[in-house]
Amino acid sequence: MSEPRTSHHWWQTGVIYEVYVRSFQDSDGDGIGDLEGLRSRLDYLEWLGVDILWLTPIYPSPMVEFGYDIANYTDVEPLFGSLAGFDALLADAHGRGMKVVLDIAPNHSSDQHPWFVESRSSRTNPKADWYLWRDPGPDGGPPNNWLSAFGGKSAWEFEPRRGQYYYHAFMREQPDLNWRNPEVEGAIFDALRFWLKRGVDGFRIDVIWHLLKDAEFRDNPPNPDYDPKSMPSNDAQRALYNTDRPEVVDIVERTRGVLREFGEDRLIIGELYHSPERMVRFYGEAAGGAQMPHNQMLVLLPWKADGLRDAIEKYLASIPEDCWPNWVLSNHDKPRIATRVGRPAQARVARMLLCTLFGTPTLYYGDELGLENVPIPPELLQDPFEKLDPGRGQGRDGQRTPMPWQPDAPHAGFTTGKPWLPLGQDWREVNVEVQRNNPDSILNLTRELLQLRRGEAAFTLGRHRLVLNEGPVLAYRREHENKGFLVALNLSRDFASLELPHGWRALEPVLSTLGAVTSGEVRGTLRLRPDEGLILRRA
């Protein structure tokens, strides 16, 4: 799927920026980012060239899982502000032409949500069936072998008041909702309408593939590829019956129907870590599901040209007609791209890849600065995942540290108090102010790439054509109407060459990840410096 489309939505031509709200900007000195802090940084995001803000959960929560344990789906957590403050942020963003997408976790709630308080109280309560309850197994223990994604232990917790177990895919404080109960679906849909009426432009749906479980609650089979040294404990099983049930796509399509009540341009982003074949199902029948089943393949793949080349082509070829691709390199759950690629110059190459592929890119806050994961000492550890399954290198605190803004302010200008997580030791050099004043910084490279996307339809709507070659160079063409560009990315530490494709033998360099480009045409063979990404225009 690499042909241009004749009509487009804002989420097809825009750039998404994930704001981890806790870590972006604190306005009141409590060390935790908030909505007013984000609002104060809209000038920066507009300067950068961001079109769409994706906010991690802002709802009332005990914060056991930092907002993904929701206690009220229709209000704002006081740590982050208020409904009035959210409305002001939304109005300011819209006034700048930006869209706002909220992150929502409908698979599970907090155990402090009033729904669960009622449900656990007795088997006869009106909300008794709003969560997944089962009688003990024959031995008196859990009803089946399903494992929690956090810690790899049983995903079942016993509740003496009911004499039953409830299921929690993640932490025990996050009981899973029963999406086979129409009342649950209706309550969540009403929550979506609450935010849509306020003007929200869409939702990112957390763990969308978890929403339904096997109606018979069958045991999961063991995972024959499990490696306890490198994989989380829950990967000891194949999650065959507690995730990715076929009927979940029906829920996604009904969710899309709710958004259509407010117009065709409201967006669903579905969190997925799937192969292309499994992921594309979430577009739904006749593309009536999620407009963006979030494509995380580049987050998981080794940084090698041949593997990336094959995966990109396979993904684009698998997308149904009239559906749209998207790309992610980092997020709040996985290590930052600058840490994964291992070299500062390759972080620039990764930025060029993300901003020039056919489809909508999602930038993770701070990646535009080349931020790396910050080592967190044990006494400052916050992540419950790491606490429950320690020593496997799966902790998420390192990619969630505060945004560094200034070199001469306490805590890099993030807060006047004590930040909830420590900043990286290099914050005096790696921050917005220093990089904004350096024309050769990765921040200014990111801005140039986003300006190029906005100014050249070839990079948003144009055809994508892979340049077939072997070796460390990943190359592709982007073409729209009478304009064409070649993107060549050297993923190695060595000089590399690329034989230019037929009809593309005279090219003019436009932008290099390493700074100034040489003027004049390139003919025949393109030579790339180590760790260089290069965009060239067809003469």
Side-chain angles (χ1 to χ4, degrees):
M1 208 284 299
S2 60
E3 296 299 325
R5 293 291 173 262
T6 56
S7 61
H8 335 91
H9 296 279
W10 53 266
W11 42 267
Q12 293 173 310
T13 57
V15 173
I16 301 172
Y17 187 95
E18 182 190 353
V19 180
Y20 195 74
V21 177
R22 291 182 68 91
S23 295
F24 198 64
Q25 178 65 64
D26 174 27
S27 71
D28 58 11
D30 66 356
I32 295 173
D34 48 46
L35 297 179
E36 188 58 35
L38 169 57
R39 187 181 173 201
S40 73
R41 296 297 185 181
L42 290 179
D43 280 346
Y44 164 73
L45 295 170
E46 184 177 25
W47 170 85
L48 182 61
V50 169
D51 306 286
I52 305 159
L53 303 181
W54 155 23
L55 311 188
T56 51
I58 60 171
Y59 318 98
S61 167
M63 293 292 160
V64 175
E65 199 354 27
F66 300 115
Y68 288 94
D69 50 324
I70 298 172
N72 182 348
Y73 286 92
T74 57
D75 205 348
V76 170
E77 164 60 42
L79 277 173
F80 298 141
S82 64
L83 275 173
F86 173 77
D87 289 342
L89 169 65
L90 185 64
D92 280 4
H94 283 172
R96 298 165 188 266
M98 296 179 186
K99 304 293 186 179
V100 176
V101 171
L102 292 185
D103 201 331
I104 194 163
N107 174 71
H108 48 264
S109 75
S110 165
D111 63 349
Q112 295 184 32
H113 196 295
W115 297 345
F116 188 70
V117 173
E118 288 191 52
S119 187
R120 78 190 313 173
S121 66
S122 75
R123 299 193 189 195
T124 58
N125 187 278
K127 290 186 172 58
D129 193 37
W130 278 45
Y131 293 82
L132 296 174
W133 296 96
R134 301 291 287 177
D135 290 332
D139 62 353
N144 66 22
N145 72 346
W146 295 353
L147 298 178
S148 165
F150 281 10
K153 297 178 181 178
S154 175
W156 296 94
E157 185 76 10
F158 187 70
E159 173 50 68
R161 279 168 283 192
R162 289 184 52 140
Q164 288 182 306
Y165 285 85
Y166 68 85
Y167 175 73
H168 56 94
F170 298 93
M171 302 183 69
R172 66 181 183 182
E173 294 90 349
Q174 294 172 285
D176 279 42
L177 286 155
N178 178 15
W179 272 86
R180 296 186 185 276
N181 183 336
E183 293 180 348
V184 170
E185 180 175 297
I188 294 294
F189 286 176
D190 283 345
L192 299 183
R193 292 184 181 101
F194 172 88
W195 295 104
L196 291 164
K197 289 174 183 176
R198 302 190 91 87
V200 165
D201 300 288
F203 299 92
R204 180 263 191 185
I205 301 180
D206 184 58
V207 296
I208 196 169
W209 76 102
H210 274 263
L211 291 179
L212 275 185
K213 288 77 179 174
D214 179 49
E216 299 176 30
F217 293 88
R218 287 169 284 186
D219 280 354
N220 280 328
N223 179 4
D225 301 319
Y226 176 59
D227 180 358
K229 295 181 180 179
S230 61
M231 299 168 71
S233 301
N234 64 294
D235 282 348
Q237 293 179 353
R238 289 179 56 223
L240 185 62
Y241 293 114
N242 58 338
T243 69
D244 214 18
R245 304 308 299 158
E247 313 97 298
V248 76
V249 177
D250 298 334
I251 294 176
V252 179
E253 291 179 339
R254 292 196 294 273
T255 306
R256 177 77 174 277
V258 173
L259 270 65
R260 281 200 178 103
E261 295 172 15
F262 298 82
E264 283 292 334
D265 65 341
R266 304 299 174 100
L267 175 65
I268 295 177
I269 301 171
E271 183 196 15
L272 292 164
Y273 289 91
H274 283 15
S275 66
E277 296 86 351
R278 291 170 62 202
M279 181 176 61
V280 298
R281 293 189 300 107
F282 287 80
Y283 285 111
E285 290 293 326
Q291 297 101 315
M292 282 193 193
H294 233 182
N295 166 31
Q296 316 261 10
M297 67 171 62
L298 299 184
V299 174
L300 305 175
L301 287 171
W303 196 248
K304 300 290 184 182
D306 53 354
L308 295 177
R309 186 184 300 121
D310 293 345
I312 290 167
E313 293 308 299
K314 184 177 181 181
Y315 168 60
L316 291 177
S318 68
I319 295 174
E321 280 298 314
D322 299 319
C323 294
W324 197 255
N326 62 89
W327 306 94
V328 183
L329 282 178
S330 299
N331 61 44
H332 61 278
D333 284 331
K334 300 296 180 183
R336 287 190 178 274
I337 183 62
T339 294
R340 289 196 291 114
V341 299
R343 305 194 296 282
Q346 277 298 310
R348 294 169 172 261
V349 174
R351 179 63 60 244
M352 184 171 280
L353 174 70
L354 182 69
C355 293
T356 58
L357 282 170
F358 177 39
T360 301
T362 297
L363 281 67
Y364 184 46
Y365 87 99
D367 276 359
E368 71 270 25
L369 304 175
L371 291 189
E372 298 187 53
N373 276 40
V374 176
I376 307 297
E379 66 274 14
L380 297 179
L381 189 70
Q382 302 285 337
D383 182 15
F385 185 20
E386 176 68 13
K387 291 177 180 179
L388 288 170
D389 201 9
R392 298 175 188 270
Q394 305 290 331
R396 302 167 298 173
D397 286 341
Q399 59 261 25
R400 298 177 174 185
T401 55
M403 182 77 166
W405 295 99
Q406 301 165 244
D408 55 358
H411 311 299
F414 165 69
T415 181
T416 57
K418 181 181 178 181
W420 77 285
L421 282 173
L423 287 104
Q425 293 185 353
D426 59 356
W427 65 264
R428 288 180 176 84
E429 296 78 37
V430 182
N431 60 69
V432 170
E433 184 176 311
V434 167
Q435 291 205 17
R436 192 165 175 172
N437 293 326
N438 176 6
D440 294 325
S441 68
I442 188 173
L443 174 60
N444 276 303
L445 171 67
T446 303
R447 183 169 185 256
E448 286 184 82
L449 286 164
L450 297 187
Q451 287 177 326
L452 189 62
R453 277 185 59 88
R454 185 168 288 175
E456 295 287 353
F459 287 110
T460 50
L461 309 176
R463 289 184 296 271
H464 168 99
R465 294 287 186 265
L466 179 71
V467 176
L468 295 173
N469 67 293
E470 297 180 355
V473 178
L474 173 62
Y476 45 91
R477 295 171 284 163
R478 300 300 310 278
E479 302 171 70
H480 183 71
E481 295 180 345
N482 62 342
K483 289 190 177 182
F485 293 84
L486 177 76
V487 181
L489 308 170
N490 182 3
L491 274 59
S492 77
R493 296 174 181 265
D494 302 315
F495 286 91
S497 298
L498 175 71
E499 189 70 21
L500 296 177
H502 180 72
W504 290 69
R505 296 304 177 98
L507 301 176
E508 174 191 359
V510 174
L511 184 61
S512 169
T513 59
L514 299 182
V517 295
T518 305
S519 60
E521 289 187 352
V522 177
R523 294 180 176 273
T525 300
L526 175 65
R527 303 192 185 282
L528 293 164
R529 291 172 284 179
D531 295 312
E532 182 177 27
L534 190 60
I535 298 174
L536 306 100
R537 180 186 289 110
R538 184 167 56 185

